[in-house]
Amino acid sequence: MTKHQFLNRFLIIGIFFTVSSCEPVYIPDPIDPRLPKYTDDGNDVGGAFINGSLWRSEYFLSLFSGTNEPHLRYNATTDSLSINFEGKIGESYRTISFGLKGYGIKSLQEMTKINGLLIHFDGVNNVATLDRLAVDFCPTTATGQIYFRSVKYNPENSFLTLSGTFGFNYDDPVCGNITVNYGRFDYSIYYFNQ
Amino acid sequence: MKIKYVVVKNKNLLFFVFFISISSNGLAQAYAFVGAHQSYVRNHVLTNASPIYSWHIGGGINLYRNPGWKKVAIHAESSFIQKGYNQHLGTEKFEFRFTYITLQPTLEYKALPYLCIKGGVNLAFLLDTNKEKGTQTYELFDFGLVGGLGFLENKRISLYTQLVYGLSPMLKYYDIDAMGNFNREISDLKNTCFMVGLRVNIYDKTSIFK
């Protein structure tokens, strides 16, 4: 085996492990296997029913890695945090988004402030919404809740494990009557945008 | 850690039961068996669940302790068995299969020249499932009662039928409502298994049924 062949094989194995180590771990819920089981291990999965149709987190695979990591973004002007879970219903993309105001979360480490919190949506400070390819945004006046059951920061590897459940609904003349229920999420998060 | 402790503790119990069995008066029969079964889980949480049909294979020894009680025998059996259930949700069918290794000490009574009645306990350890991380989702130890009939056990090939009625819950999980509230912890899903099969005597030195 030449030196080049050896290096090529080493590179291929390296890429394989890089990609495979990021893949989500889908453990079916033992009561309704269409949904992921509730876990708090950072399995990188989310699921819910939107008007009875299954929504599941989408895993995006690129050349060297894959991700379905939710987007966390902090706005210092309004002291607000947005959390976006990207996923699909069948072949159509849907993003479930949450906005939380006044929690003073400016970094990934500070996300642990919401550990164990059950937050009810009020349409003003705490909001939930659903959008399709960021084209038509539905109103943020949903009623319901999000429960951050386990939020743990791992200082050694600098990532956050974010796990919980959610459910909300709203009735809008444009978007219609939307019910999102049996929502659950369990992600490992490495990035925090400011 | 707690699950590991329970498994180790129960393994010790199994070895103890097995040791007591083989240290009794004498080996009478050794046999192998293979059969089919219908498996289902009794539960309060599953929607549209139905039984599965699968197979089992194993072996056993037939012992008796007291020569004065010639109609009574003690059995110790071990088998590999696949239990589970199907679930139909919407247009999808989900199949749940659990592979166990079992140890089954039973007491057998010869009611008629061609008919034996047996009863005992069924101890099962979960080896594998067809679901991702299934051994972390479901309980590793399963305990149940067993009752059954054996036909023509004095012959080289005989028939048997038995019912295993699980008593310990397979699943410990949460009752999560539509809004995401964790209402309570649930302990549910109990195995029920109806088995039929063929038994072949492979060693028959002092059979009490001759």
Side-chain angles (χ1 to χ4, degrees), chain B residues 9-209:
Chain B
K9 193 178 168 188
N10 287 319
K11 271 183 184 169
N12 290 337
L13 178 66
L14 287 184
F15 284 125
F16 177 73
V17 170
F18 188 69
F19 177 76
I20 291 295
S21 299
I22 63 171
S23 62
S24 59
N25 284 346
L27 183 66
Q29 279 178 314
Y31 53 88
F33 57 87
V34 63
H37 57 264
Q38 184 200 56
S39 175
Y40 184 62
V41 287
R42 308 183 324 274
N43 74 91
H44 302 95
V45 293
L46 299 179
T47 306
N48 290 335
S50 61
I52 63 161
Y53 297 88
S54 189
W55 55 271
H56 58 271
I57 188 167
I61 49 177
N62 179 352
L63 304 149
Y64 62 100
R65 288 167 184 274
N66 189 338
W69 297 357
K70 294 215 170 188
K71 287 192 170 185
V72 178
I74 296 171
H75 284 232
E77 290 180 356
S78 183
S79 66
F80 287 97
I81 183 167
Q82 204 167 59
K83 298 180 183 177
Y85 60 94
N86 291 324
Q87 203 173 0
H88 299 264
L89 296 166
T91 56
E92 291 183 89
K93 177 185 171 186
F94 298 89
E95 193 173 69
F96 292 79
R97 288 184 181 259
F98 310 94
T99 305
Y100 289 95
I101 184 169
T102 70
L103 185 68
Q104 183 173 287
T106 54
L107 196 67
E108 186 169 295
Y109 176 71
K110 183 184 173 187
L112 295 167
Y114 56 86
L115 178 70
C116 297
I117 302 168
K118 67 179 176 183
V121 295
N122 182 279
L123 311 169
F125 293 95
L126 183 62
L127 298 177
D128 196 19
T129 78
N130 66 342
K131 298 299 174 198
E132 181 81 25
K133 296 198 173 183
T135 52
Q136 293 175 25
T137 301
Y138 299 92
E139 294 295 301
L140 295 180
F141 179 64
D142 195 40
F143 172 79
L145 298 177
V146 60
L149 300 172
F151 304 95
L152 302 169
E153 286 194 358
N154 56 330
K155 305 293 183 188
R156 183 163 178 79
I157 296 177
S158 60
L159 292 169
Y160 66 87
T161 177
Q162 65 183 26
L163 179 74
V164 178
Y165 191 81
L167 296 178
S168 57
M170 292 170 62
L171 176 67
K172 291 182 180 172
Y173 191 48
Y174 309 105
D175 173 22
I176 306 171
D177 68 21
M179 282 291 119
N181 296 300
F182 286 67
N183 294 324
R184 64 189 172 95
E185 287 195 13
I186 54 172
S187 295
D188 209 327
L189 273 61
K190 292 175 181 174
N191 272 310
T192 305
C193 192
F194 179 70
M195 308 158 74
V196 293
L198 288 176
R199 173 180 134 160
V200 181
N201 288 335
I202 53 179
Y203 176 86
D204 198 1
K205 188 178 177 185
T206 57
S207 171
I208 59 171
F209 303 116

